[in-house]
Amino acid sequence: MPTQLIQVDAFTDKPYHGNPAAVCLLSKPMPDGWLRDVANEMNLSETAFLLAEKDQWRLRWFTPAVEVDLCGHATLASAHVLWELGKLRPDEPARFVTRSGLLTATKSGAWIELDLPADPPEEAEAPAELVEALGTPIVHTAQGKFDYLVEVESEAMVRDLAPDIRLLGELTTRGISVTAAATTNGHDFVSRFFAPGAGIDEDPVTGSAHCMLGPWWSARLGKDTMTAAQISARGGVVRVHVGPDRVRLGGQAVTVLRGELA
């Protein structure tokens, strides 16, 4: 049988916005080398590979360079595809077995909500390379399981940031999330995400980073439920609800391409 591949824009309700992910539906396990080759061919920030396992799905995520432990937008895209293709009923949750444990997604109208592990960051000293690469005043630096979180003074500073990508690539974390309280109406905080070490200079909308950003801003704003904007060139909106150990992320998704692998 041909291998289906669907490209989805996640965390947006408009085509060609949000974060694109390729979702590949496998009929059998495939070698890691083949998975890496497909992800490199897609050349997107993430390609998701799905394999049915009884009442759940094995889910793996690859950038063009590496396999990652957690990816929010490609999980959102995967759930969207399963409902769109009728692999799941609209009222049936998507259950994913991943390198980050069991993740679930539920559908509510046009929105999908992901249940992901929280990643509350700890205050940390900013490495010299990070300070030099960003070239902007830093209010706080913290570190989560995968990434650095850098808080700056204003939304405008996040928008205007033009970091030295080469220097950022020398850091040992997966990526760097630069964030500030929002001044745009309807949003609580904004961010941008850079991960050159994982083969992604700037990621358009990073679901997994909000597992860290959510607890950070919840503590500062005194709110459990927030709306976040990732203000990359493509842009996207993430609804964030912070619990004791989990973070629920809400987003929309749009299919932009359907095909088959040769």
Side-chain angles (χ1 to χ4, degrees), residues 152-202:
V152 297
E153 294 175 357
S154 69
E155 178 177 323
M157 290 175 68
V158 177
R159 289 186 184 278
D160 295 341
L161 197 65
D164 184 325
I165 295 297
R166 181 191 60 80
L167 269 180
L168 288 182
E170 295 179 4
L171 298 169
T172 57
T173 57
R174 178 190 69 166
I176 303 93
S177 186
V178 183
T179 185
T183 53
T184 301
N185 188 38
H187 300 147
D188 293 290
F189 64 88
V190 299
S191 68
R192 289 171 66 190
F193 187 83
F194 307 93
I200 307 163
D201 287 355
E202 180 170 3

Side-chain angles (χ1 to χ4, degrees), residues 3-6 21-42 46-53 57-64 66-68 71 74-75 77-78 82 96-98 261:
T3 300
Q4 286 182 286
L5 189 139
I6 299 96
V23 179
C24 185
L25 278 82
L26 303 176
S27 59
K28 62 181 180 180
M30 295 296 289
D32 284 7
W34 184 88
L35 302 179
R36 286 191 290 267
D37 286 345
V38 171
N40 186 55
E41 183 74 15
M42 295 303 101
E46 225 77 42
T47 297
F49 296 92
L50 284 171
L51 180 65
E53 292 186 350
W57 297 80
R58 177 71 56 180
L59 173 59
R60 298 175 70 181
W61 311 280
F62 286 78
T63 76
V66 297
E67 183 174 8
V68 298
C71 177
T75 304
S78 297
L82 292 177
F96 300 111
V97 179
T98 77
L261 291 176

Side-chain angles (χ1 to χ4, degrees), residues 31 99 127 133:
R99 288 170 64 159

